């Protein structure tokens, strides 16, 4: 996966739950193996030949994004918190 300013990791899994679509991104050693949750709407384009997904976020925005929490993913409050983070970042662009 690539942010607007560099590599951020790889897709660990895609998740579709309650009409919400997210990508779980494993950031690897870049931020100590943290997994973050990115809404599918952050995908800017997919380069099928190079097998790279580009998102419309900077590395810092990804670094500050909510961590993926598989224990709480099904809870609406958790998804709302994730959604709030991204809705705020869309307003700042």
């Amino acid at each position: 996966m690539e942010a607007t300013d560099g590599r951020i990791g790889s897709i660990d899994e895609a998740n579709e739950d309650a009409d919400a679509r997210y990508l779980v991104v494993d950031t690897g050693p870049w931020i100590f193996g943290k997994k973050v949750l990115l809404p599918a709407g952050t995908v800017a384009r997919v380069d099928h030949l190079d097998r790279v997904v580009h998102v419309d976020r900077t590395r810092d925005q990804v670094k500050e994004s909510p961590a993926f929490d598989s224990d709480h993913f099904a809870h609406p409050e958790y998804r709302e918190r994730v959604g709030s983070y991204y809705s705020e970042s869309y307003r700042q662009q």
Side-chain angles (χ1 to χ4, degrees), residues 18-39:
D19 294 330
R21 300 174 196 275
Y22 298 95
L23 298 174
V24 178
V25 178
D26 184 343
T27 61
W30 172 53
I31 48 178
F32 308 111
K34 178 181 175 183
K35 290 184 181 181
V36 297
L37 196 60
L38 296 177

Side-chain angles (χ1 to χ4, degrees), residues 35-93:
K35 290 184 181 181
V36 297
L37 196 60
L38 296 177
T42 61
V43 173
R45 67 185 175 88
V46 177
D47 184 333
H48 294 282
L49 292 176
D50 289 332
R51 299 179 49 114
V52 177
V53 175
H54 296 266
V55 294
D56 63 357
R57 294 288 178 268
T58 65
R59 287 171 53 98
D60 282 341
Q61 287 174 311
V62 171
K63 187 175 183 178
E64 296 301 319
S65 65
F68 174 63
D69 184 344
S70 60
D71 293 334
H72 293 99
F73 182 76
H75 298 119
E77 304 83 30
Y78 171 73
R79 289 198 312 264
E80 187 171 317
R81 183 171 53 90
V82 171
S84 293
Y85 172 80
Y86 286 103
S87 65
E88 286 300 314
S89 68
Y90 278 117
R91 286 183 255 249
Q92 295 171 8
Q93 287 188 4

